[in-house]
Amino acid sequence: MRVHAAVYARGLHRHSTYRAALVAGALTNSVFGAINAMVLLAVFAARPRISGYDAGDAVTQVFVGQALIAVTLIVNTAPSLDLAERVRTGDVATDLLRPVSLLGWWLAQDLGRATFTFFFRGVPTFCVGLLLFDVVLPGGPVHAVLVLASFALAAVVGFALRYLYSLSGFWLLDTRGLWTVAGLVGPVVSGMLLPLALFPSVLADVLRLLPWASMVQIPAEILLGKDTLPGGSVFGALLLQAAWAAALLALGAWATGRATRKVVIQGG
Amino acid sequence: MADTLSPENPEAPEAPRTSNPLRAAGRALRTYVLLAWTWCRAVAQYPMALSLFTFGLALSSLAEMGAVVVVFGHAGTLAGFTVYEGLLVYALAALAFGTADFLMGSVDRLGDHIRTGSFDTMLVRPVPPLVQLATHQFSPRRLGKLVPALAALVFALVACDIDWTLGRVLMLPVLLVSGAAVCSSVWVLAGCLQFFVADAREAANSVTYGGQALTEYPIAIYGRGLVRSVTFVVPLAFVSWQPALYLLDRPDPTGLPEALRFLGPLVAVVLALAAALVWRFGLRHYRSTGS
């Protein structure tokens, strides 16, 4: 556990080096947030209520999505976990020699990265939303803690999916195509492109149950306190997120076992 | 061609300058096609990855179109545009940006090339560095964006109630080319930013991809202030908004003069010249990061 804490701290520290990229990233997220928000405001000006959403809800979801982009890395079409490249080049052999599990090592490191980018890129982006639009804030300290817990689970789900994409390199050799499809389809089915509430309700209900929704739609609905949440309450929704996090991590651990039995590293 | 060598070694004797600028442009174009084809053959070595890439891009274009349809489906009309007219605006924007991405998309990697030093390698080769930069990792997968956009445009042009006069028929290709030229110029200008701020790639994306997101909808929905700034400051209004107003024969709902819709080609030429000047300026002020 101490190793993981140290790796987590390293991940946090490592990403504090790229300050200019952080500012540029927050700027980009804010610009996209503002554009999406203005389109949705125009829609809600024509029709004030769509499937329980009003203009404020839609704008809030846009900025939750933009604030979590750098945390979950859901829109990245290039490999966004260094592990992917290490599988391709064979450097993963070094990782496998370590006396800690591959999954735990990368989870700790990626959560360090996620924590840092959330506070220094996600929060500023969300603040821009607060300044420019009527973005909804949590109703009290308890609600705020639940929202933060939901964001943290979103980060774990985001990691678990990217870990699986990376591991697929043991079988596919070139995973870039898979990453591209994931980075392009993810934003659509997660509620990033448009709130799922705007989709036909049957489709929206199915998408809400998939892991991608746990990275944008579910956290946004928890912040908004919607009754469309799976299970009908905040706790049901958090449970769904936790279940996806656990299931995907378990799948990751299983796949790691399969991959390490298969891998042959050349040289010596 | 002489410019290629001079920033690297200003004392070197002038290389024989091609007297005819048209011939120089022709040669640059030929090199562009040759290098692009080389990269195409390289990526074709991984057919599985290439087809997944292309398929993914096509899928995301379809999703964006779906989003436009959903948005218009809920709102009925936006800025007086129906769903088909909205699709026309989307298709004009997607086609212009798709073309720019196809031809110039790699320019936004300038910062990476500067950081790793591979830009220095480009400078010593006898090919214009902009051509090398634009063709670097050129990939036919970008057709995955262009083809759906073209299909959407054809569909929207048929579905919309357009009064096809001879003028409109002749103007359509001109408007498409100038839209693509405006976008390509914006792409190069945003890329040049990385001569001065190496980490600016993401900020540049907010202009390039942000510009695409902005012009995919009738821009009147963003309000007068924004319409004026994307008309007169960063002229993205000439990518999809003004052409759509012209094709549909609409008065401008934000009250700008109707003559603006004919200025697209002129704006494209001016912006392309500005991009060329800024590129040249950046190149002259470029200093290698060293070994």
Side-chain angles (χ1 to χ4, degrees):
Chain A
M1 211 54 212
R2 262 188 43 211
V3 179
H4 292 110
V7 174
Y8 173 84
R10 289 285 160 194
L12 222 148
H13 189 116
R14 179 178 162 202
H15 284 267
S16 64
T17 327
Y18 309 113
R19 300 217 178 96
L22 213 60
V23 175
L27 176 77
T28 309
N29 293 152
S30 306
V31 167
F32 272 89
I35 293 172
N36 291 348
M38 285 189 286
V39 171
L40 286 172
L41 283 179
V43 174
F44 281 89
R47 225 181 123 191
R49 231 179 154 71
I50 301 169
S51 328
Y53 261 56
D54 63 17
D57 295 342
V59 169
T60 305
Q61 174 154 351
V62 165
F63 277 95
V64 167
Q66 292 294 331
L68 290 181
I69 271 189
V71 174
T72 58
L73 296 176
I74 192 173
V75 299
N76 284 49
T77 50
S80 56
L81 193 66
D82 288 346
L83 176 63
E85 187 61 13
R86 294 176 73 82
V87 170
R88 197 181 68 80
T89 57
D91 286 344
V92 69
T94 320
D95 296 343
L96 289 171
L97 285 175
R98 292 196 184 101
V100 281
S101 78
L102 190 71
L103 177 71
W105 174 276
W106 284 95
L107 175 65
Q109 188 176 333
D110 195 60
L111 287 184
R113 180 202 59 76
T115 311
F116 184 81
T117 45
F118 174 71
F119 285 106
F120 292 95
R121 183 167 155 179
V123 171
T125 304
F126 197 78
C127 289
V128 171
L130 268 178
L131 278 177
L132 297 178
F133 303 95
D134 289 330
V135 169
V136 177
L137 281 176
V142 178
H143 190 194
V145 169
L146 292 176
V147 170
L148 283 180
S150 170
F151 287 179
L153 286 171
V156 178
V157 173
F159 164 78
L161 283 174
R162 285 156 49 236
Y163 183 79
L164 287 172
Y165 302 155
S166 306
L167 279 198
S168 72
F170 280 113
W171 289 273
L172 292 180
L173 300 182
D174 189 358
T175 59
R176 284 173 304 171
L178 180 71
W179 282 97
T180 310
V181 173
L184 294 170
V185 176
V188 183
V189 294
S190 63
M192 176 83 79
L193 182 71
L194 279 181
L196 295 185
L198 268 64
F199 289 2
S201 64
V202 179
L203 182 64
D205 285 340
V206 173
L207 290 179
R208 271 196 190 89
L209 296 176
L210 297 183
W212 291 276
S214 286
M215 293 189 281
V216 182
Q217 183 70 28
I218 304 288
E221 288 191 0
I222 287 180
L223 171 58
L224 296 168
K226 289 287 170 198
D227 55 5
T228 40
L229 282 170
S233 72
V234 169
F235 294 102
L238 283 173
L239 207 64
L240 176 75
Q241 280 186 295
W244 270 123
L248 291 170
L249 286 178
L251 188 62
W254 176 77
T256 313
R258 290 294 299 268
T260 42
R261 272 197 292 281
K262 176 186 189 303
V263 70
V264 178
I265 306 282
Q266 300 197 22
Chain B
M1 294 287 169
D3 301 318
T4 320
L5 291 170
S6 45
E8 183 72 355
N9 189 359
E11 301 305 314
E14 284 269 290
R17 195 177 266 277
T18 333
S19 52
N20 187 346
L22 263 180
R23 258 171 75 186
R27 227 155 78 190
L29 199 68
R30 264 210 310 282
T31 328
Y32 183 102
V33 174
L34 183 72
L35 287 176
W37 178 240
T38 312
W39 278 106
C40 285
R41 281 174 43 192
V43 293
Q45 301 301 311
Y46 296 92
M48 183 66 186
L50 178 63
S51 34
L52 264 177
F53 259 132
T54 317
F55 173 71
L57 283 172
L59 214 61
S60 86
S61 296
L62 288 178
E64 278 175 11
M65 273 178 235
V68 172
V69 173
V70 167
V71 159
F72 276 89
H74 282 297
T77 60
L78 281 178
F81 280 59
T82 65
V83 61
Y84 293 132
E85 293 163 350
L87 212 55
L88 176 68
V89 173
Y90 167 82
L92 285 167
L95 195 62
F97 274 91
T99 313
D101 182 34
F102 189 72
L103 298 175
M104 287 289 164
S106 303
V107 173
D108 75 347
R109 296 206 171 261
L110 177 63
D112 292 343
H113 289 296
I114 291 177
R115 205 167 27 248
T116 59
S118 53
F119 191 63
D120 293 352
T121 323
M122 293 185 180
L123 287 177
V124 294
R125 290 190 192 130
V127 172
L130 187 58
V131 170
Q132 293 181 57
L133 190 63
T135 51
H136 188 80
Q137 297 200 336
F138 182 95
S139 173
R141 68 163 183 265
R142 295 173 186 157
L143 287 173
K145 266 191 205 173
L146 264 181
V147 174
L150 195 64
L153 181 70
V154 172
F155 173 77
L157 285 174
V158 174
C160 289
D161 184 22
I162 298 175
D163 176 21
W164 284 110
T165 60
L166 184 65
R168 286 210 171 79
V169 174
L170 292 178
M171 260 311 250
L172 181 64
V174 177
L175 290 175
L176 292 180
V177 171
S178 16
V182 166
C183 293
S184 303
S185 310
V186 168
W187 221 291
V188 172
L189 283 168
C192 286
L193 201 65
Q194 297 174 43
F195 272 126
F196 310 103
V197 194
D199 276 339
R201 184 165 164 210
E202 273 216 81
N205 281 354
S206 68
V207 182
T208 51
Y209 290 96
Q212 177 176 5
L214 191 80
T215 48
E216 277 173 4
Y217 289 92
I219 55 171
I221 63 171
Y222 303 118
R224 274 157 191 274
L226 211 95
V227 171
R228 273 163 176 66
S229 55
V230 294
T231 307
F232 301 112
V233 186
V234 188
L236 291 171
F238 297 94
V239 173
S240 61
W241 172 242
Q242 294 291 350
L245 286 178
Y246 170 72
L247 289 172
L248 297 169
D249 199 17
R250 289 278 164 85
D252 190 326
T254 62
L256 288 172
E258 285 197 16
L260 275 177
R261 58 193 62 174
F262 299 102
L263 285 186
L266 184 68
V267 168
V269 170
V270 170
L271 206 62
L273 283 176
L277 279 177
V278 172
W279 169 259
R280 213 156 257 244
F281 179 80
L283 203 57
R284 294 218 182 285
H285 288 253
Y286 165 71
R287 301 184 76 176
S288 169
T289 46
S291 57

